[in-house]
Amino acid sequence: MQHNIFQTMRSLKIIEGCKGTQVYTINPSSGTGTGTGTGSGIGDKLLQQLHDHIKSQTLIRTKSNRNFQPPNATPPSEVVFCDGSLLPYALPMTDLLEPKVEPSLVSLDFVETLASAYRRAEDRPQFERTEVFLEQCTIFRGLADPKLFRRSLRSARQHATNVHDKVVVAAWLRHERREDELIGSSSMDCSGRNLECPRATLEPGYDPESVFDRCLCTHARAGDHDSDDAHSEMTIEVDDEPSSTSEEEDGDMSFFVGEDEIRCNRFNIASLSRPFNTMLYGEFIESKRENINFSQNCFSVEALTAAKEFSRSKSLSHLEPKVVLELLSLANRFCCEEMKNACDAHLALLVCDMDDALLLIEYGLEETAYLLVAACLQVYLRELPGSMQCSIFVKMFCSPEGRDRLAMAGHASFVLYYFLSQISMEEEMRSNTTVMLLERLVECAKDGWEKQVAFHQMGAVMLERKEYKDAQHWFESAVEAGHVYSVVGVARAKYKRGHTYSAYKLMNSLISEHKPVGWMYQERSLYCIGKEKQMDLLSATELDPTLSFPYKFRAVSYLEENKIGSAIAEINKIIGFKVSSDCLELRAWFLIAMEDYEGALRDVRAILTLDPNYMMFYGHMHGEQLIELLSPVVQQWCQADCWMQLYDRWSSVDDIGSLAVVHQMLANDPGKSLLRFRQSLLLLRLNCPKAAMRSLRMARNHSNSDHERLVYEGWILYDTGHREEALTKAEESITIQRSFEAYFLKAYALADSNLDSESSKYVIHLLEEALRCPSDGLRKGQALNNLGSVYVDCDKLDLAADCYMNALNIKHTRAHQGLARVYHLKNHRKAAYDEMTKLIEKARSNASAYEKRSEYCDRDMAKSDLSMASQLDPLRTYPYRYRAAVLMDDHKESEAIAELSRAINFKPDLQLLHLRAAFYDSMSDFVSAVQDCEAGLCLDPNHNEILDLCKKAREHLREPK
């Protein structure tokens, strides 16, 4: 129906501007190596195939389709490793390794930054907090937990007062879930979420309860039938009205357009605006005339008739869009604000898709129609990133003239260009579109964090484009704006321009002037050699063990010394707790060099699970091509073999191995949604939430039934913080068909709260129902494990033990931990300790097992286990809290604070902050206690214990000394 309404307008061919295609190329840079040699056996054949593949490539396949073209890559030479095997694209070399300059803001003191952001939010009125929450989004952008970013984004939308901010932030919220990738989803659908409702965003004003309300779309759907009836009655009433003869008799003046007369009431027309009032009642000649010629004003009879009707009824009902558009122009010409606002709101509600937006955006900009432009803008933003291919909109957003036009209509803002530039950087960081959007972002930025992020991101993009002089300029601007981390960008740009010593001096002064942070030593290591470089890298790892570059550099250094075993052991250290594509690629490279092709294939499959478009060997070869070349030289498995391999790896807690097996199974059966779901669970275990969400979306898209689709939609909602909606999806699925996954989802979502006895009984019932439904042993083992946990919480230890034993019988190895807990609660500490020892022996990833075993032994053994846990996974916070508590018990307050601070410096965890605040409070250091509390509340504003501690510490500060 909408398309019929606009049929006459579509003849303008405005949409043709979006149908053009643009083809761009990009050739990634490469590393080089030299050497000659020969080899023998199957390894030589494989690697010769790889080398032949290199020579046969005339066009490098790449993910990018943008228009930035770096210098052409030169293919590296062959090299010989110590065993004589020919390697493709040379060995990795330390000279080609560099840490990435993070494009997001990085704080010198993250705790202070968090506390400051929390205070600013608390000090402002509710309806002025949007900007502060957007700043929090920027702070959280660089963290591994996307939930913090999404929570701040929801808060920014909840507190937004103007339509523009609501439109942009609501679209951003939707983009974070990537719902555009769900087959059958509409960009204008909000699924009942008021904070994302496209109609609610067009309503100005602050509504603090909006987060809890159902959206306007829901109310509209509920009232559709009533609206139709009302519309029918209205039509009848209009039809029954007297003819226009009586209206004409009431008129006391006429407008003429050519030969056509529009009889009007002079007072009504004059009331539309001051210009009309002055014309009809002032000193102008028209005030003395009954008939006024309006032919020279270029407005149609229909438009003047509509103006007459609006002056009488204040209504635009039953008007065609083209008449309302003309009326909008008339209202603008004669400053009729009320009529302009009515036309603006009327047209805004007609914008439903990209076609409508493309037709109406020019009208909206020309007439500075705020709501109409907002509605068109909303459609574009909710279609991102696909809508970036539309040349009309790209021109409007990217060009200075387009930004000026948006500004005239009230729609050029920092938050808009921040959102657009983030999307463009994700799509292709080096593209011209990204640069132009960042230029507009700079123009919109105000002093403070906005200029810091705009300048720093521009510097990061210029660095990627190898435009080092410009990169240095932008990084220096960011430093002047107050962003100290941008000094890293300045140093890197100088280094790239050949000023190594200048870069070294810059980082050296930064370390001497500020409290040292891991990334400072990491960066300085680039500009020195020998032992000094190694010492800087060790300092970087000690201060921040999550930085991957030091591990990578040390691993490649071992490789250059022909110590390939040490190289693999070094890279394994970080892969053990922080999985990333680049580290897995490096390990795969090492494994190929030592002819462990099965291990290399495992890592390449894991890489492609994390990033399906990953390019191996300095960006020269797609991962899928490498799989094709490695597959013939390893043992081939049928689907049944794969299931057996998956069971073995799952039971040995080998998550990367399990990922690889699932990837192979999906290659054999790409439409298997259950496998995609299994993939998402493994990715969540490996702390890869974005990749996990992508797998969940694909599971949903490949679902063969409605009940299955609802379950995966429920998991998507649960993982993005919409627990109640997830429960609704599970219940809908169960009404269609009883299934293991639907019951399991419902039980899992319900258990994610403080359960009372009745709720616990219901969760037990749901898990028992799940176990009665068909499923594989892997999922049933998990359900039994969860059921055992609920039984433990209900103090039903024998039933819990039975669940854990049954789970172990089907190789759910993690059940050892639950069984150990049961033994511990029964005061069988030795049995608990032994049970955890079994888990340590079986599990590949056993940092958590060491941590848990420490609870079942004496202090010295506990320290040993916790030390091992920290060594295997420094991101686990319990060991730091335990060691700090022991130190505090021994009255070593300074050492206890230092132990917690060591972890907080690279992981500002809520529990760590809470404990350190309590320690500071007990030491009467109330200023530090309040700062830690405020930082914790920035991470979780509703943490009651921290709220109480913060209140108590603030009261102490207010006490007279």
Side-chain angles (χ1 to χ4, degrees), residues 13-133:
K13 304 294 184 184
I14 295 175
I15 195 164
E16 293 300 321
C18 283
K19 292 183 179 177
T21 58
Q22 302 178 54
V23 180
Y24 307 111
T25 60
I26 178 170
N27 295 321
S29 59
S30 69
T32 62
T34 60
T36 60
T38 59
S40 60
I42 197 166
D44 264 357
K45 292 179 182 178
L46 164 68
L47 295 169
Q48 187 60 52
Q49 281 182 294
L50 291 172
H51 181 59
D52 292 342
H53 166 77
I54 299 166
K55 293 193 291 185
S56 68
Q57 289 293 297
T58 59
L59 179 66
I60 297 174
R61 294 196 303 169
T62 174
K63 176 184 176 182
S64 172
N65 65 344
R66 299 297 188 263
N67 50 352
F68 170 71
Q69 296 183 349
N72 289 334
T74 57
S77 304
E78 307 168 5
V79 295
V80 178
F81 192 59
C82 57
D83 62 356
S85 297
L86 188 66
L87 288 172
Y89 297 107
L91 288 165
M93 294 184 290
T94 53
D95 290 344
L96 299 177
L97 293 177
E98 280 184 4
K100 180 182 178 183
V101 176
E102 294 297 330
S104 53
L105 296 186
V106 178
S107 303
L108 278 175
D109 187 338
F110 199 67
V111 173
E112 183 181 350
T113 301
L114 290 174
S116 178
Y118 176 78
R119 284 195 300 271
R120 283 196 294 278
E122 287 296 296
D123 292 343
R124 292 195 181 186
Q126 289 280 345
F127 51 85
E128 293 181 7
R129 294 183 178 180
T130 298
E131 186 178 331
V132 181
F133 286 121

Side-chain angles (χ1 to χ4, degrees), residues 766-825:
L766 291 171
L767 288 171
E768 288 173 342
E769 288 297 314
L771 289 165
R772 293 189 185 102
C773 298
S775 183
D776 60 81
L778 299 176
R779 289 298 278 159
K780 290 208 169 186
Q782 193 163 353
L784 285 165
N785 197 63
N786 289 9
L787 182 57
S789 297
V790 181
Y791 277 137
V792 169
D793 293 338
C794 296
D795 201 29
K796 298 179 179 179
L797 300 183
D798 290 335
L799 291 174
D802 290 341
C803 288
Y804 292 130
M805 292 298 294
N806 290 333
L808 288 171
N809 289 337
I810 52 177
K811 293 189 174 182
H812 189 78
T813 308
R814 286 181 172 86
H816 282 297
Q817 183 168 316
L819 191 56
R821 184 184 175 198
V822 170
Y823 288 144
H824 175 64
L825 292 172

Side-chain angles (χ1 to χ4, degrees), residues 30 100 146 254 331 391 447 719 933:
S30 69
K100 180 182 178 183
S254 296
S391 59
D447 288 336
D719 287 343
C933 285

Side-chain angles (χ1 to χ4, degrees), residues 830-858:
K830 178 65 169 59
Y833 181 89
D834 292 342
E835 202 64 36
M836 291 309 301
T837 302
K838 294 176 185 176
L839 179 56
I840 289 170
E841 292 168 351
K842 292 180 181 179
R844 289 280 188 93
S845 305
N846 52 21
S848 63
Y850 277 107
E851 178 184 294
K852 197 66 181 175
R853 191 176 71 171
S854 69
E855 298 180 23
Y856 310 134
C857 53
D858 59 38

